[in-house]
């Protein structure tokens, strides 16, 4: 049984930082690319960032480039999302997901998803 469990969300003021974690169990973590998506109320789910399983290659949505950093610790079976200079548009539920390939933008390419962690940015 594969499980992805996110943590680290919360309430933060605009300009602040948060670090999200996603712990994986039930599969060989190092063989899977990992991604972060978010969904705001009334909006569709959107890609945020991803990191490949082969060489650690990363990809980011334009809206978070330069502010967010994705990383992974294969020994800890965990992927992280460091979020800096947060703004109101970053509010949403953040989900991590895993895939066997490297199609970072496509949510249909991911086979397992976590339940999500809420991030709320206040003014």
């Amino acid at each position: 049984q594969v499980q992805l469990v996110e943590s680290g969300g919360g309430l933060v003021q605009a300009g602040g930082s948060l670090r999200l974690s996603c712990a994986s169990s039930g599969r060989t973590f190092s063989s899977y690319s990992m991604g972060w998506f978010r969904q705001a109320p009334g909006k569709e789910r959107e890609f945020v960032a991803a990191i490949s399983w082969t060489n650690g290659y990363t990809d980011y949505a334009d809206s978070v480039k330069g502010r967010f950093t994705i990383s992974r610790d294969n020994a800890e079976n965990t992927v992280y999302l460091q979020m800096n200079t947060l703004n109101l548009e970053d509010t949403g539920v953040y989900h991590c997901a895993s895939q066997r390939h490297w199609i970072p933008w496509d949510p249909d390419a991911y086979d397992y998803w976590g339940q999500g962690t809420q991030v709320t940015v206040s003014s």
Side-chain angles (χ1 to χ4, degrees), residues 102-122:
W102 180 239
I103 313 171
W105 292 83
D106 185 1
D108 292 334
Y110 293 83
D111 52 0
Y112 288 98
W113 292 79
Q115 291 298 308
T117 185
Q118 176 71 45
V119 172
T120 303
V121 183
S122 65

Side-chain angles (χ1 to χ4, degrees), residues 29-33 51-56 72 99-101:
F29 178 75
S30 60
S31 297
Y32 292 85
S33 299
I51 186 165
S52 74
W53 69 276
T54 52
N55 54 11
R72 65 190 298 160
Q99 64 167 279
R100 190 62 182 87
H101 309 288

Side-chain angles (χ1 to χ4, degrees), residues 47-95:
F47 169 75
V48 176
I51 186 165
S52 74
W53 69 276
T54 52
N55 54 11
Y57 186 77
T58 57
D59 200 6
Y60 296 91
D62 287 344
S63 59
V64 307
K65 280 180 181 177
R67 301 188 298 122
F68 290 12
T69 303
I70 188 171
S71 61
R72 65 190 298 160
D73 185 337
N74 289 339
E76 296 294 328
N77 293 340
T78 301
V79 62
Y80 303 97
L81 185 68
Q82 177 66 43
M83 306 186 296
N84 298 328
T85 320
L86 286 160
N87 57 53
L88 298 181
E89 289 71 36
D90 294 320
T91 294
V93 178
Y94 283 68
H95 299 267

Side-chain angles (χ1 to χ4, degrees), residues 2-6 22 27 35-38 45-47 94-98 106-116:
V2 176
Q3 279 194 317
L4 299 175
V5 180
E6 302 93 338
C22 172
R27 74 193 324 181
W36 285 96
F37 287 76
R38 67 187 180 190
R45 180 176 50 187
E46 65 172 343
F47 169 75
Y94 283 68
H95 299 267
C96 68
S98 66
D106 185 1
D108 292 334
Y110 293 83
D111 52 0
Y112 288 98
W113 292 79
Q115 291 298 308

